Amino acid sequence: AGKMKVIGIKGNYKNDSQEKPSVYLMADSSLLKDGKPLFLPEFAEEFIARPALVVRINRLGKNIAKRFASRYYDAVTVGLCVEARGVKKEAKLHDEASLCNAFDGSAVLGDFAPVDLIEKPENRVFSVTVNGGDSFTASIDELVMDIDELIEELSKYFTFKIGDILYTGYKESEGISLNINDVICGRIGTEELLHFKVK
């Protein structure tokens, strides 16, 4: 059994700064799940989290036509793509994509719910709150490329395998600055799927 892939999409929201969504890959060690705390690493000054809808791939496939794409994922949750900003001068490596977006813990993952959750109109919106206060909200319907289109396009390049994780995109223009002791919660509709603390 090969290692699972974690695929991140940058951008992919209407009226956002980036014209086309772009793709980056994360290691399975990037995943932070089961409500474990996020320990902010030492190597950067600031960490910005951007909420994303996440789907789990449940079958093997390549060159998947859009009309069949919905057969290839079975579960959905809220996740955060965490970006390191201001990497400290003493860092000896320079690689924006991997070091800043794919370090350990950079892909925070909520608990998965069956994908039919998002078929209900009231669950087309997902939200993330910090310390019970201000919330970030986004609608699945604001995606430039919807889930099925993403799967069609990505499967031209990658073979999807069971257990692969796809972060479907985030608003580049909106991020949450993470601070020690923050408590972050994420919901699809009213169902809480993500809950963790920053340390």
Side-chain angles (χ1 to χ4, degrees):
K3 281 244 191 321
M4 57 187 281
K5 284 186 290 305
V6 184
I7 302 173
I9 303 290
K10 279 187 176 184
N12 201 25
Y13 271 86
K14 291 168 185 165
N15 306 322
D16 203 23
S17 51
Q18 196 164 317
E19 294 136 38
K20 271 189 195 172
S22 59
V23 184
Y24 63 101
L25 289 178
M26 294 173 272
D28 55 359
S29 62
S30 302
L31 286 176
L32 181 75
K33 50 190 181 183
D34 306 322
K36 291 191 178 106
L38 171 61
F39 290 93
L40 294 180
E42 297 279 307
F43 65 78
E45 305 290 344
E46 190 184 13
F47 294 88
I48 303 290
R50 295 189 181 87
L53 187 81
V54 185
V55 295
R56 182 177 67 198
I57 302 299
N58 67 331
R59 60 194 287 188
L60 186 71
K62 185 163 170 68
N63 293 320
I64 301 160
K66 183 178 176 179
R67 67 182 185 277
F68 300 127
S70 63
R71 299 177 187 178
Y72 286 83
Y73 56 98
D74 64 346
V76 64
T77 190
V78 181
L80 293 176
C81 300
V82 181
E83 180 191 355
R85 290 256 185 95
V87 172
K88 293 178 179 166
K89 301 241 182 332
E90 58 268 28
K92 293 182 178 172
L93 296 166
H94 182 77
D95 172 356
E96 279 307 293
S98 302
L99 298 187
C100 296
N101 296 298
F103 59 89
D104 285 0
S106 61
V108 185
L109 193 62
D111 298 325
F112 279 106
V115 76
D116 54 14
L117 178 69
I118 58 172
E119 285 163 17
K120 298 180 183 129
E122 66 271 25
N123 293 336
R124 302 295 287 173
V125 170
F126 60 98
S127 60
V128 170
T129 58
V130 182
N131 303 325
D134 287 348
S135 83
F136 163 100
T137 56
S139 166
I140 298 165
D141 301 315
E142 294 174 67
L143 290 170
V144 174
M145 292 174 74
D146 66 24
I147 300 166
D148 293 355
E149 267 178 280
L150 283 172
I151 286 176
E152 177 181 61
E153 195 56 32
L154 289 165
S155 70
K156 293 173 184 173
Y157 301 90
F158 306 115
T159 299
F160 278 114
K161 294 188 172 175
I162 295 167
D164 284 354
I165 305 286
L166 171 59
Y167 284 71
T168 62
Y170 57 71
K171 294 185 179 182
E172 292 252 36
S173 53
E174 291 183 42
I176 298 161
S177 187
L178 297 178
N179 298 290
I180 289 170
N181 295 325
D182 281 349
V183 176
I184 314 282
C185 297
R187 295 176 181 82
I188 292 179
T190 56
E191 188 161 340
E192 185 175 288
L193 298 169
L194 178 71
H195 187 103
F196 72 101
K197 191 170 181 180
V198 180
K199 291 198 167 172

